[in-house]
Every structure is written in structure tokens, then in C-alpha cells.
Amino acid sequence: MSVDKGDVLVIPAPSDKTKNDSNKITIHWRQQFRQRDDDYYLLIAKNKTQGDCQVPIYIQSDWYNEQGFNSASGMRKIDSDNHALTIDNRHQYAGKPECRFVVWHDKEKKPYSDRFLQSSSLKQDTDLVKQVFQLLGFGLSGIELAGEWAQDSIGTNLETF
């Protein structure tokens, strides 16, 4: 489940099915001595460049709409259900090369990478979050392991591709 700069991810198009409370995650962080928070949609993308492997991607909620997708550089519509996104320096990631998640947001926002897993673990009862934790190598007891991973990476910035 690797993803690298230049890879093409197939992302589900914004719809009532993909934009719901079960995959909407609120991320909380401190930046410049102020409490910040923002909503992200957590999705599973397919990496077309690397054999359709699955890659978790967090998309800033106000970008996950037809207008945001249509105006995004490097984004093209494949069909009514999917868009293709080329990974470049507008995207960020966390994790090891073989186990990464992608974040597509305004890079002026500076949440640490652990905030994404901590916030996701609050929705541990959803199939999507269970799938994401398995993809990141946490297995069935992913919640505890994700917590350990988050503690090990506290204060780690997201990396830019």
C-alpha cells in the first residue's frame, strides 16, 4: 500500500454515499498558540500506478465536492463515480514508505500526523476505519496499535511529496 510522488490515485467522486457522518473526521490541533479544528473526509483510493493497491486519503471537507474536484490541478474525471488524482507536492503524507496515508488539504494548516489516527480511532466501530487501520498495518487490534503509533509520532509533521 505504497504511494509516491507521480502516482495516480482513483478517488470516489463526491456523492451522498461518500459524504456522510461515518467517514467525516474532525481533526483537532494547536497552531500558533491557538486551538484549530477542521473536518476531513476519510476515503480509500486505489493507486492505479501500483496495481490498484488501496491507499487511505484524508480530504479537507470543503474541497471534497464537484467544484473542488473540477478546479483541482492534476484531477480528472474518469466516470460519474471516480476521479483520478496525480500525487505531487500539493499533497502530504505520513507513515512508512510501504504504509502511508495521504492528506489533501490547505498546507497552511499544520496538524501533526498523529492527529489523523487519533481522531479516526474515535470512529473505531466503522468498517472504514477498521479497513484503514488494517491497510496501515495495525491488524484487527488496530485501535491499540494506532494509539501506540500515534504516541511514537506525536509532534511529527506531515511530509510533502
Side-chain angles (χ1 to χ4, degrees), residues 21-38:
D21 287 342
S22 68
N23 69 328
K24 191 174 192 178
I25 310 281
T26 302
I27 308 296
H28 304 277
W29 74 96
R30 292 190 63 76
Q31 183 176 331
Q32 297 175 339
F33 306 107
R34 292 180 38 214
Q35 183 63 36
R36 308 275 178 121
D37 57 68
D38 206 349

Side-chain angles (χ1 to χ4, degrees), residues 12-147:
S15 68
D16 290 341
K17 181 180 176 185
T18 58
K19 291 179 72 171
N20 57 60
D21 287 342
S22 68
N23 69 328
K24 191 174 192 178
I25 310 281
T26 302
I27 308 296
H28 304 277
W29 74 96
R30 292 190 63 76
Q31 183 176 331
Q32 297 175 339
F33 306 107
R34 292 180 38 214
Q35 183 63 36
R36 308 275 178 121
D37 57 68
D38 206 349
D39 292 329
Y40 290 78
Y41 283 102
L42 173 58
L43 304 163
I44 302 294
K46 290 184 181 178
N47 188 335
K48 294 301 279 183
T49 308
Q50 298 194 32
D52 284 341
C53 68
Q54 296 180 319
V55 177
I57 183 169
Y58 292 85
I59 302 175
Q60 184 175 312
S61 65
D62 57 340
W63 289 11
Y64 190 55
N65 56 52
E66 284 300 320
Q67 180 182 354
F69 271 36
N70 291 336
S71 64
S73 177
M75 176 77 72
R76 70 182 188 286
K77 190 171 191 169
I78 298 173
D79 56 38
S80 61
D81 295 328
N82 297 290
H83 286 73
L85 176 67
T86 302
I87 297 297
D88 59 22
N89 62 0
R90 292 169 294 138
H91 308 100
Q92 296 186 299
Y93 68 90
K96 299 174 183 166
E98 68 278 2
C99 281
R100 289 181 175 163
F101 64 86
V102 175
V103 179
W104 182 30
H105 66 157
D106 177 353
K107 291 190 327 187
E108 293 299 312
K109 298 176 182 189
K110 308 279 186 202
Y112 291 130
S113 61
D114 63 289
R115 301 301 188 258
F116 290 89
L117 293 179
Q118 287 174 344
S119 296
S120 297
S121 69
L122 298 175
K123 294 198 174 205
Q124 62 186 310
D125 58 333
T126 67
D127 290 337
L128 175 65
V129 169
K130 289 176 186 175
Q131 182 181 5
V132 166
F133 286 159
Q134 286 180 336
L135 288 171
L136 293 173
F138 299 131
L140 294 175
S141 60
I143 304 308
E144 295 83 19
L145 291 172

